[in-house]
């Protein structure tokens, strides 16, 4: 948009966009769960033994928090790449 033609800027913008997308998905999870929808990666949920139903019912057990932590960690990794 600004006319910047730099591969490093493009790379940083890509990682920022990925981090923002992950965070937006996490922040919207309670809203989506009230509508019986879960848009979180099922591979991470299965890794921790969490089902979509656990999110829809609003469970706050450690394994549910671990799923959120793992997903948020991915956003953090993208921000570290930017730095």
């Amino acid at each position: 948009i600004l006319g910047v033609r730099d591969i490093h800027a493009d790379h940083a913008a890509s990682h920022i966009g990925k981090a923002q997308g992950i965070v937006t998905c996490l922040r919207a999870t309670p809203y989506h769960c009230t509508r019986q929808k879960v848009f979180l990666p099922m591979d991470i949920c299965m890794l921790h033994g969490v089902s979509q139903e656990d999110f829809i019912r609003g469970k706050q057990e450690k394994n549910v928090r671990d799923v959120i932590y793992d997903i948020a960690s991915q956003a953090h990794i993208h921000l570290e790449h930017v730095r």
Side-chain angles (χ1 to χ4, degrees), residues 19-83:
Q20 184 178 12
I22 293 168
V23 170
T24 299
C25 181
L26 286 175
R27 290 183 65 211
T29 295
Y31 170 82
H32 291 299
C33 288
T34 62
R35 282 148 183 79
Q36 311 295 308
K37 306 254 187 238
V38 178
F39 296 109
L40 300 175
M42 284 293 99
D43 58 336
I44 296 175
C45 292
M46 289 183 342
L47 180 68
H48 293 285
V50 176
S51 68
Q52 290 182 341
E53 194 65 30
D54 292 332
F55 283 99
I56 292 170
R57 289 186 179 164
K59 290 187 177 180
Q60 296 187 7
E61 297 168 357
K62 182 181 182 326
N63 58 344
V64 173
R65 292 191 313 267
D66 289 343
V67 169
I68 300 299
Y69 181 84
D70 281 358
I71 296 170
S73 294
Q74 291 299 312
H76 181 71
I77 289 169
H78 285 293
L79 288 178
E80 287 299 315
H81 284 295
V82 172
R83 290 184 182 124

